[in-house]
């Protein structure tokens, strides 16, 4: 069964109903991937909790602190399937309070079997012996009200992995795609009859207590993927934790591969988990925003995603392919949008030389000209950015009135020159010389006014 969306109301910061729409796998790489970004404490982990709660084997209870008083201290978490049937977890109509119930009561055939993997993926280094299948994991991994609880069901999955040669080989093959090699590992038994995970590194053995958190994180994420089936839904909270950037890139490639016929949802703070290929194949990106009224989920619309993707075809601006371009998804509010990467460099240089400060963050990497600014503005609007200031060159200031009308809450201005720096080969004079060392004195008042106006807007 493919799933279309989740709706959340009343859980922690969700004072109003919010919707997250999922990527739908269509056989293309990353098509089933949904990426959730957003600042700390904006609601990403709450979305993870909602998935775990609604897929619990039995309806969980929610403490008074987990229920939003502005929503009447009532919970409603609804999953809509591709056939438009809906399964909801709601506050019990009988007892109210902390207790919940499923509507309708799910049967064995239509209950949710989401594989949810928390961000805290550490587990006790010594454990007993038990074996869980994937179905048992989804059935018995219950909603946990305390976020700091360790991932202590993983040892049961380890025993399952090593129970058969076929599953062991399949698991190790996936590990190798991320690590670049198959680690030598097994489950050992100590003299005190406790089991532990043993690694052999060129003859030097150590147990899971001495292993790096990154390696153990890869083990748990691989477990979420290796025995999954097409059309499964998997939620991984913060897959980047403790991982070197090179491993993050390899892990993303693995996730994209699986997301061609599975639905994979990740929440992340890492630009390494933003994929242009996924967006091009109708994958989804959403951003959580914490507002005075509560958490809001802002989704990038496909038409505006297509506009951003068109920037990738500009071979004169290869920065669109890099991390600097992806950083836009992780900016806080107060964005200062400029025409290109050169403006970012030299406007910062001008601020340094004049001892000025702007309270916002410059973004211009990958834009490549005033004509493309509107595509970025459309994306920022979708993703819930409220404070955006745009700086044009003087020869593009005619664009301001139409854009100001279309984006009335954003601030538009221009520098008094046709470029930020001198371009002798084009006979263009800028605010600063070609080498970025000397500011033109005749523009100092203009620079002061520019900084004052932008700071005044951003505050």
């Amino acid at each position: 069964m493919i799933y279309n969306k989740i709706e959340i109301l009343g859980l922690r910061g969700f004072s109003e109903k919010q919707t997250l729409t999922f990527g739908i796998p269509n056989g293309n790489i990353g098509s089933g991937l949904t990426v959730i970004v957003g600042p700390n404490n904006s609601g990403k982990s709450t979305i993870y909790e909602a998935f775990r709660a609604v897929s619990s084997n039995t309806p969980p209870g929610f403490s008074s602190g987990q229920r939003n008083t502005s929503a009447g201290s009532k919970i409603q978490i609804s999953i809509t399937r591709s056939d438009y049937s809906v399964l909801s977890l709601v506050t019990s109509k009988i007892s109210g309070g902390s207790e919940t119930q499923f509507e309708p009561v799910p049967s064995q055939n239509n209950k949710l079997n989401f594989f949810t993997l928390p961000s805290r993926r550490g587990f006790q280094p010594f454990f007993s012996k038990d074996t869980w299948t994937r179905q048992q994991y989804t059935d018995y991994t219950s909603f946990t009200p305390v976020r700091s609880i360790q991932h202590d069901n993983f040892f049961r999955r380890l025993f399952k992995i090593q129970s058969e040669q076929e599953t062991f080989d399949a698991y190790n093959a996936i590990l190798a795609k991320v690590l670049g090699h198959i680690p030598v590992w097994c489950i050992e038994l100590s003299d005190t009859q406790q089991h532990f995970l043993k690694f052999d590194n060129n003859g030097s053995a150590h147990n899971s207590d001495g292993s790096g958190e990154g390696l153990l994180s890869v083990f748990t994420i691989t477990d979420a993927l290796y025995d999954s089936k097409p059309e499964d839904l998997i939620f991984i909270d913060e897959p980047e934790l403790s991982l070197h950037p090179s491993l993050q890139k390899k892990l993303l490639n693995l996730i994209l591969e699986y997301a061609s016929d599975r639905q994979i949802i990740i929440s992340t703070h890492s630009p390494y988990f933003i994929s242009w290929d996924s967006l091009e194949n109708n994958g989804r990106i959403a951003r959580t925003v914490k507002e005075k009224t509560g958490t809001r989920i802002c989704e990038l619309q496909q038409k505006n995603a297509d506009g951003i993707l068109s920037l990738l075809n500009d071979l004169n601006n290869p920065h669109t392919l890099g991390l600097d371009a992806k950083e836009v998804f992780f900016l806080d509010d107060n964005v200062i949008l400029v025409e290109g990467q050169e403006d970012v460099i030299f406007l910062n240089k001008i601020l340094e030389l004049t001892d000025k400060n702007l309270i916002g963050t410059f973004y211009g990497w990958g834009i490549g000209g005033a004509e493309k600014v509107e595509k970025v503005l459309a994306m920022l609007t979708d993703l819930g950015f409220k404070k955006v200031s745009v700086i044009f060159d003087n020869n593009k200031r005619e664009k301001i009135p139409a854009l100001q009308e279309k984006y009335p809450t954003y601030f538009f201005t221009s520098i008094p020159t046709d470029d930020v720096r001198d371009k002798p080969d084009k006979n263009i004079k800028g605010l600063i010389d070609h080498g970025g060392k000397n500011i033109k004195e005749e523009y100092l008042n203009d620079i002061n006014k520019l900084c004052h106006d932008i700071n005044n807007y951003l505050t």
Side-chain angles (χ1 to χ4, degrees):
M1 178 65 71
I2 294 294
Y3 303 92
N4 288 341
K5 63 183 179 180
I6 186 172
E7 295 172 302
I8 306 171
L9 172 65
L11 181 60
R12 297 192 188 274
F14 285 82
S15 56
E16 298 177 355
K17 182 186 292 186
Q18 297 294 309
T19 301
L20 176 68
T21 308
F22 311 148
I24 305 298
N26 56 25
N28 293 319
I29 186 169
S31 54
L33 179 62
T34 302
V35 179
I36 307 169
V37 299
N40 286 326
N41 198 35
S42 63
K44 298 189 302 300
S45 293
T46 302
I47 297 175
Y48 168 81
E49 290 178 321
F51 273 89
R52 172 157 282 193
V54 78
S55 61
S56 296
N57 205 31
T58 57
F62 294 91
S63 68
S64 58
Q66 292 171 311
R67 306 194 312 274
N68 193 293
T69 55
S70 296
S73 294
K74 296 182 182 299
I75 295 289
Q76 181 180 333
I77 305 170
S78 300
I79 296 285
T80 301
R81 302 180 176 94
S82 55
D83 62 1
Y84 300 105
S85 62
V86 179
L87 178 66
S88 297
L89 178 67
V90 298
T91 302
S92 172
K93 292 180 173 58
I94 300 174
S95 61
S98 63
E99 299 310 298
T100 60
Q101 64 187 42
F102 287 118
E103 292 184 352
V105 177
S107 67
Q108 189 64 31
N109 293 328
N110 70 356
K111 69 177 183 177
L112 304 175
N113 292 314
F114 299 160
F115 196 109
T116 57
L117 193 61
S119 60
R120 293 168 176 84
R121 292 184 284 275
F123 57 94
Q124 292 294 336
F126 297 96
F127 43 83
S128 58
K129 184 174 182 178
D130 197 3
T131 300
W132 273 6
T133 64
R134 189 178 187 89
Q135 186 64 58
Q136 287 174 309
Y137 176 90
T138 57
D139 280 348
Y140 301 122
T141 300
S142 59
F143 173 77
T144 52
V146 182
R147 289 179 173 177
S148 60
I149 290 178
Q150 289 184 311
H151 184 46
D152 281 338
N153 288 326
F154 180 56
F155 76 90
R156 296 180 167 92
R157 296 286 290 156
L158 283 174
F159 278 105
K160 174 59 180 174
I161 291 165
Q162 287 209 338
S163 65
E164 299 176 9
Q165 188 67 48
E166 182 179 357
T167 57
F168 186 62
D169 291 343
Y171 180 83
N172 281 330
I174 304 303
L175 269 182
K177 290 186 177 183
V178 180
L179 299 177
H181 66 283
I182 298 177
V184 180
W185 67 278
C186 65
I187 298 174
E188 262 288 8
L189 185 64
S190 70
D191 292 338
T192 58
Q193 299 300 297
Q194 288 183 305
H195 292 87
F196 62 92
L197 191 58
K198 177 183 176 182
F199 295 93
D200 190 329
N201 185 15
N202 296 323
S204 176
H206 58 87
N207 62 28
S208 47
D209 194 28
S211 301
E213 290 184 8
L215 177 61
L216 297 180
S217 182
V218 172
F219 261 64
T220 59
I221 295 173
T222 299
D223 175 52
L225 299 174
Y226 90 101
D227 62 348
S228 63
K229 300 292 189 293
E231 299 190 359
D232 277 357
L233 189 146
I234 303 161
F235 194 122
I236 305 173
D237 195 15
E238 299 185 24
E240 71 274 9
L241 291 186
S242 302
L243 292 188
H244 187 277
S246 65
L247 292 184
Q248 291 185 41
K249 289 189 284 188
K250 291 177 181 178
L251 181 56
L252 172 63
N253 289 334
L254 179 64
I255 289 173
L256 291 174
E257 176 187 334
Y258 272 81
S260 63
D261 59 5
R262 295 159 175 80
Q263 292 183 284
I264 299 180
I265 301 168
I266 62 174
S267 66
T268 181
H269 293 282
S270 172
Y272 287 102
F273 284 92
I274 299 295
S275 167
W276 305 124
D277 288 334
S278 174
L279 275 182
E280 192 167 27
N281 292 326
N282 296 324
R284 307 282 299 181
I285 289 184
R287 179 173 177 262
T288 54
V289 180
K290 188 174 183 179
E291 299 182 340
K292 290 182 179 180
T293 56
T295 294
R296 187 160 65 97
I297 298 176
C298 305
E299 299 183 303
L300 179 60
Q301 301 302 308
Q302 189 59 51
K303 65 177 182 178
N304 294 327
D306 291 340
I308 293 298
L309 291 169
S310 69
L311 303 182
L312 300 179
N313 298 319
D314 185 353
L315 299 181
N316 295 317
N317 288 281
H319 298 286
T320 56
L321 302 174
L323 289 180
D324 291 305
K326 296 177 182 179
E327 187 186 50
V328 69
F329 297 104
F330 300 91
L331 295 177
D332 289 332
D333 231 319
N334 290 359
V335 178
I336 305 173
L337 196 62
V338 295
E339 293 183 22
Q341 55 264 34
E342 186 175 87
D343 297 83
V344 175
I345 294 171
F346 286 95
L347 284 172
N348 271 313
K349 188 67 176 176
I350 288 170
L351 294 176
E352 178 186 335
L353 292 173
T354 57
D355 198 28
K356 298 291 181 185
N357 180 56
L358 290 176
I359 61 175
T361 302
F362 281 114
Y363 182 77
W365 297 95
I367 295 177
E371 291 73 18
K372 301 174 183 177
V373 165
E374 188 170 357
K375 295 178 179 179
V376 180
L377 287 174
M379 177 180 68
L380 294 176
T381 302
D382 279 354
L383 295 177
F385 287 88
K386 296 207 174 277
K387 288 282 189 177
V388 178
S389 178
V390 184
I391 304 176
F392 283 111
D393 293 338
N394 183 64
N395 58 358
K396 299 296 182 181
R397 64 179 301 138
E398 75 276 0
K399 294 182 175 294
I400 291 179
L403 288 174
Q404 188 70 77
E405 183 176 356
K406 188 171 183 179
Y407 301 97
T409 62
Y410 292 170
F411 176 75
F412 296 85
T413 188
S414 65
I415 59 176
T417 56
D418 289 348
D419 209 315
V420 68
R421 63 166 175 160
D422 289 346
K423 298 286 181 63
D425 57 329
K426 298 180 180 179
N427 198 29
I428 294 176
K429 293 184 178 181
L431 297 176
I432 195 170
D433 66 11
H434 183 72
K437 296 181 180 179
N438 300 296
I439 297 174
K440 313 291 180 58
E441 289 189 9
E442 63 265 35
Y443 296 124
L444 285 176
N445 287 338
D446 296 287
I447 292 169
N448 290 338
K449 184 177 186 305
L450 183 81
C451 294
H452 175 270
D453 290 348
I454 291 176
N455 280 338
N456 187 56
Y457 163 74
L458 295 178
T459 55

Coordinates of all heavy atoms in Angstrom, one line a residue, residues 402-444:
A402 N 7.3 45.0 -9.7 CA 6.4 43.9 -10.0 C 6.7 42.8 -8.9 O 5.7 42.2 -8.4 CB 6.7 43.3 -11.3
L403 N 7.9 42.6 -8.5 CA 8.2 41.6 -7.4 C 7.7 42.1 -6.1 O 7.2 41.2 -5.3 CB 9.7 41.4 -7.4 CG 10.3 40.6 -8.5 CD1 11.9 40.6 -8.4 CD2 9.8 39.2 -8.6
Q404 N 7.7 43.4 -5.8 CA 7.2 43.9 -4.5 C 5.7 43.7 -4.4 O 5.2 43.3 -3.4 CB 7.5 45.4 -4.4 CG 7.2 45.9 -3.0 CD 8.1 45.4 -1.9 OE1 9.3 45.9 -1.8 NE2 7.7 44.5 -1.1
E405 N 5.0 43.8 -5.6 CA 3.6 43.5 -5.6 C 3.3 42.0 -5.4 O 2.3 41.7 -4.7 CB 3.0 44.0 -6.9 CG 1.5 43.9 -7.0 CD 0.9 44.4 -8.3 OE1 1.7 45.0 -9.1 OE2 -0.3 44.3 -8.5
K406 N 4.1 41.2 -6.0 CA 3.9 39.8 -5.9 C 4.3 39.2 -4.5 O 3.7 38.3 -4.0 CB 4.7 39.0 -7.0 CG 4.3 37.6 -7.1 CD 5.0 37.0 -8.3 CE 4.6 35.5 -8.5 NZ 5.2 34.9 -9.7
Y407 N 5.3 39.8 -3.9 CA 5.8 39.3 -2.6 C 5.8 40.5 -1.7 O 6.9 41.1 -1.3 CB 7.2 38.8 -2.7 CG 7.3 37.6 -3.7 CD1 7.7 37.8 -5.0 CD2 7.0 36.3 -3.3 CE1 7.8 36.7 -5.9 CE2 7.1 35.2 -4.1 CZ 7.5 35.4 -5.4 OH 7.6 34.4 -6.3
P408 N 4.6 40.9 -1.2 CA 4.5 42.2 -0.4 C 5.2 42.2 0.9 O 5.5 43.3 1.5 CB 3.0 42.4 -0.3 CG 2.4 41.0 -0.5 CD 3.3 40.3 -1.4
T409 N 5.4 41.0 1.5 CA 6.1 41.0 2.8 C 7.6 40.9 2.7 O 8.3 41.0 3.8 CB 5.6 39.7 3.6 OG1 6.0 38.5 2.9 CG2 4.1 39.7 3.8
Y410 N 8.1 40.8 1.5 CA 9.6 40.9 1.4 C 10.1 42.3 1.1 O 9.3 43.1 0.6 CB 10.0 39.9 0.3 CG 9.8 38.4 0.6 CD1 10.0 37.4 -0.4 CD2 9.5 38.0 1.8 CE1 9.8 36.1 -0.1 CE2 9.3 36.7 2.1 CZ 9.4 35.7 1.1 OH 9.3 34.4 1.4
F411 N 11.4 42.5 1.2 CA 11.9 43.8 1.0 C 12.9 43.8 -0.2 O 13.7 43.0 -0.3 CB 12.7 44.3 2.3 CG 13.4 45.6 2.2 CD1 12.6 46.8 2.2 CD2 14.7 45.7 2.0 CE1 13.3 48.0 2.1 CE2 15.4 46.9 1.9 CZ 14.7 48.1 1.9
F412 N 12.7 44.8 -1.1 CA 13.5 44.9 -2.3 C 14.2 46.2 -2.3 O 13.6 47.2 -2.1 CB 12.6 44.7 -3.5 CG 11.9 43.4 -3.6 CD1 10.7 43.1 -3.0 CD2 12.5 42.3 -4.3 CE1 10.1 41.9 -3.0 CE2 11.9 41.1 -4.4 CZ 10.7 40.9 -3.8
T413 N 15.5 46.1 -2.7 CA 16.3 47.3 -2.9 C 17.3 47.1 -3.9 O 17.4 46.0 -4.5 CB 17.0 47.7 -1.5 OG1 17.6 49.0 -1.6 CG2 18.0 46.7 -1.1
S414 N 18.2 48.1 -4.2 CA 19.2 47.9 -5.2 C 20.4 48.8 -4.8 O 20.3 49.7 -4.0 CB 18.7 48.4 -6.6 OG 18.4 49.8 -6.6
I415 N 21.6 48.4 -5.3 CA 22.8 49.2 -5.1 C 22.8 50.3 -6.2 O 22.1 50.1 -7.2 CB 24.1 48.3 -5.2 CG1 24.2 47.6 -6.5 CG2 24.1 47.3 -4.0 CD1 25.5 46.8 -6.7
P416 N 23.6 51.3 -6.0 CA 23.5 52.4 -7.0 C 24.4 52.2 -8.3 O 24.4 53.1 -9.1 CB 24.1 53.6 -6.2 CG 25.0 53.0 -5.2 CD 24.4 51.7 -4.8
T417 N 25.0 51.1 -8.3 CA 25.9 50.8 -9.5 C 25.4 49.5 -10.2 O 24.6 48.8 -9.7 CB 27.4 50.5 -9.0 OG1 27.4 49.4 -8.1 CG2 28.0 51.8 -8.4
D418 N 25.9 49.3 -11.4 CA 25.4 48.2 -12.3 C 26.0 46.9 -11.9 O 25.7 45.8 -12.5 CB 25.7 48.5 -13.7 CG 24.7 49.6 -14.3 OD1 23.8 49.9 -13.5 OD2 24.9 50.1 -15.4
D419 N 27.0 46.9 -11.0 CA 27.6 45.7 -10.5 C 28.2 46.0 -9.1 O 28.4 47.1 -8.8 CB 28.6 45.1 -11.4 CG 28.8 43.6 -11.3 OD1 28.8 43.1 -10.2 OD2 28.8 42.9 -12.4
V420 N 28.5 45.0 -8.3 CA 29.0 45.2 -7.0 C 30.5 45.6 -7.1 O 31.0 46.3 -6.2 CB 28.8 43.9 -6.1 CG1 29.7 42.8 -6.6 CG2 29.1 44.2 -4.7
R421 N 31.2 45.2 -8.1 CA 32.6 45.6 -8.2 C 32.9 46.0 -9.7 O 32.1 45.8 -10.6 CB 33.5 44.4 -7.9 CG 33.4 43.2 -8.8 CD 34.6 42.3 -8.6 NE 34.4 41.1 -9.3 CZ 35.4 40.2 -9.6 NH1 36.7 40.5 -9.2 NH2 35.2 39.1 -10.3
D422 N 34.0 46.7 -9.9 CA 34.4 47.1 -11.2 C 34.6 46.0 -12.1 O 35.2 44.9 -11.7 CB 35.7 47.9 -11.1 CG 35.6 49.3 -10.5 OD1 34.4 49.7 -10.3 OD2 36.6 49.9 -10.1
K423 N 34.2 46.1 -13.4 CA 34.4 45.2 -14.4 C 35.1 45.9 -15.6 O 34.4 46.4 -16.5 CB 33.1 44.5 -14.9 CG 32.4 43.7 -13.8 CD 33.1 42.4 -13.5 CE 32.4 41.6 -12.4 NZ 31.0 41.2 -12.8
P424 N 36.4 46.1 -15.6 CA 37.0 46.9 -16.6 C 36.8 46.4 -18.0 O 36.7 47.2 -18.9 CB 38.5 46.9 -16.2 CG 38.5 46.5 -14.8 CD 37.3 45.7 -14.5
D425 N 36.7 45.1 -18.2 CA 36.6 44.6 -19.5 C 35.2 44.9 -20.1 O 35.0 44.8 -21.3 CB 36.8 43.1 -19.5 CG 35.9 42.3 -18.5 OD1 35.5 42.9 -17.5 OD2 35.5 41.2 -18.8
K426 N 34.2 45.2 -19.2 CA 32.9 45.5 -19.6 C 32.5 47.0 -19.4 O 31.4 47.4 -19.6 CB 31.8 44.6 -18.9 CG 32.0 43.1 -19.2 CD 30.9 42.4 -18.4 CE 31.1 40.9 -18.7 NZ 30.1 40.1 -17.9
N427 N 33.5 47.7 -19.0 CA 33.4 49.2 -18.7 C 32.3 49.4 -17.7 O 31.5 50.3 -17.8 CB 33.1 49.9 -20.0 CG 33.3 51.4 -19.9 OD1 34.2 51.8 -19.1 ND2 32.6 52.2 -20.6
I428 N 32.2 48.6 -16.6 CA 31.3 48.7 -15.6 C 32.0 49.2 -14.3 O 33.0 48.6 -13.9 CB 30.5 47.4 -15.3 CG1 29.7 47.0 -16.5 CG2 29.6 47.5 -14.1 CD1 29.0 45.6 -16.4
K429 N 31.4 50.2 -13.7 CA 31.9 50.6 -12.4 C 31.1 50.1 -11.3 O 29.8 50.2 -11.3 CB 32.0 52.2 -12.4 CG 33.0 52.7 -13.3 CD 33.1 54.3 -13.2 CE 34.2 54.8 -14.2 NZ 34.3 56.3 -14.1
G430 N 31.7 49.7 -10.2 CA 31.0 49.1 -9.1 C 31.2 49.8 -7.8 O 31.8 50.9 -7.8
L431 N 30.7 49.3 -6.7 CA 30.9 49.9 -5.4 C 32.3 49.8 -4.9 O 32.8 50.6 -4.1 CB 30.0 49.2 -4.3 CG 28.5 49.3 -4.5 CD1 27.8 48.5 -3.5 CD2 28.0 50.7 -4.5
I432 N 33.0 48.7 -5.4 CA 34.4 48.4 -4.9 C 35.2 48.1 -6.2 O 34.7 47.8 -7.2 CB 34.3 47.2 -3.9 CG1 35.6 47.1 -3.2 CG2 34.0 45.9 -4.7 CD1 35.5 46.1 -2.0
D433 N 36.5 48.3 -6.0 CA 37.4 48.0 -7.2 C 37.4 46.5 -7.5 O 36.9 45.7 -6.8 CB 38.8 48.6 -7.0 CG 39.5 47.9 -5.9 OD1 39.1 46.8 -5.4 OD2 40.6 48.3 -5.5
H434 N 38.0 46.2 -8.7 CA 38.0 44.9 -9.2 C 38.6 43.9 -8.2 O 38.2 42.7 -8.1 CB 38.7 44.8 -10.5 CG 38.6 43.5 -11.2 ND1 37.5 42.9 -11.8 CD2 39.6 42.5 -11.4 CE1 37.8 41.7 -12.3 NE2 39.0 41.5 -12.0
G435 N 39.6 44.3 -7.5 CA 40.3 43.4 -6.6 C 39.7 43.3 -5.2 O 40.1 42.5 -4.4
G436 N 38.6 44.1 -5.0 CA 37.9 44.0 -3.7 C 38.7 44.6 -2.5 O 38.5 44.2 -1.4
K437 N 39.5 45.7 -2.8 CA 40.3 46.3 -1.7 C 39.9 47.7 -1.4 O 40.1 48.1 -0.3 CB 41.8 46.2 -2.1 CG 42.3 44.8 -2.3 CD 43.8 44.9 -2.7 CE 44.4 43.5 -2.8 NZ 45.8 43.5 -3.2
N438 N 39.3 48.4 -2.4 CA 39.1 49.8 -2.1 C 37.6 50.2 -2.5 O 37.2 49.9 -3.6 CB 40.0 50.7 -3.0 CG 41.5 50.5 -2.6 OD1 41.9 50.7 -1.5 ND2 42.2 50.0 -3.6
I439 N 36.9 50.7 -1.6 CA 35.5 51.1 -1.8 C 35.5 52.6 -2.4 O 36.3 53.4 -2.0 CB 34.7 51.1 -0.5 CG1 34.6 49.6 0.1 CG2 33.3 51.6 -0.7 CD1 34.0 49.5 1.4
K440 N 34.6 52.8 -3.3 CA 34.4 54.2 -3.9 C 33.8 55.1 -2.8 O 32.7 54.8 -2.3 CB 33.6 54.1 -5.1 CG 33.9 53.0 -6.1 CD 35.3 53.3 -6.8 CE 35.6 52.2 -7.7 NZ 34.6 52.0 -8.8
E441 N 34.5 56.2 -2.5 CA 34.0 57.0 -1.4 C 32.6 57.6 -1.7 O 31.8 57.9 -0.9 CB 35.0 58.2 -1.2 CG 36.3 57.7 -0.5 CD 37.2 58.8 0.0 OE1 36.7 60.0 -0.1 OE2 38.3 58.5 0.4
E442 N 32.4 57.9 -3.0 CA 31.1 58.5 -3.4 C 29.9 57.6 -3.1 O 28.7 58.1 -3.1 CB 31.1 58.9 -4.9 CG 31.2 57.7 -5.9 CD 32.6 57.5 -6.3 OE1 33.5 57.7 -5.4 OE2 32.8 57.1 -7.5
Y443 N 30.1 56.3 -2.8 CA 29.0 55.4 -2.5 C 28.9 55.1 -1.1 O 28.0 54.2 -0.7 CB 29.2 54.2 -3.4 CG 29.1 54.4 -4.9 CD1 30.2 54.0 -5.7 CD2 28.0 55.1 -5.4 CE1 30.1 54.2 -7.0 CE2 28.0 55.3 -6.8 CZ 29.0 54.9 -7.6 OH 29.0 55.1 -9.0
L444 N 29.7 55.7 -0.2 CA 29.6 55.3 1.2 C 28.3 55.6 1.8 O 27.7 54.8 2.6 CB 30.7 56.1 2.0 CG 32.2 55.6 1.8 CD1 33.2 56.5 2.5 CD2 32.3 54.1 2.3

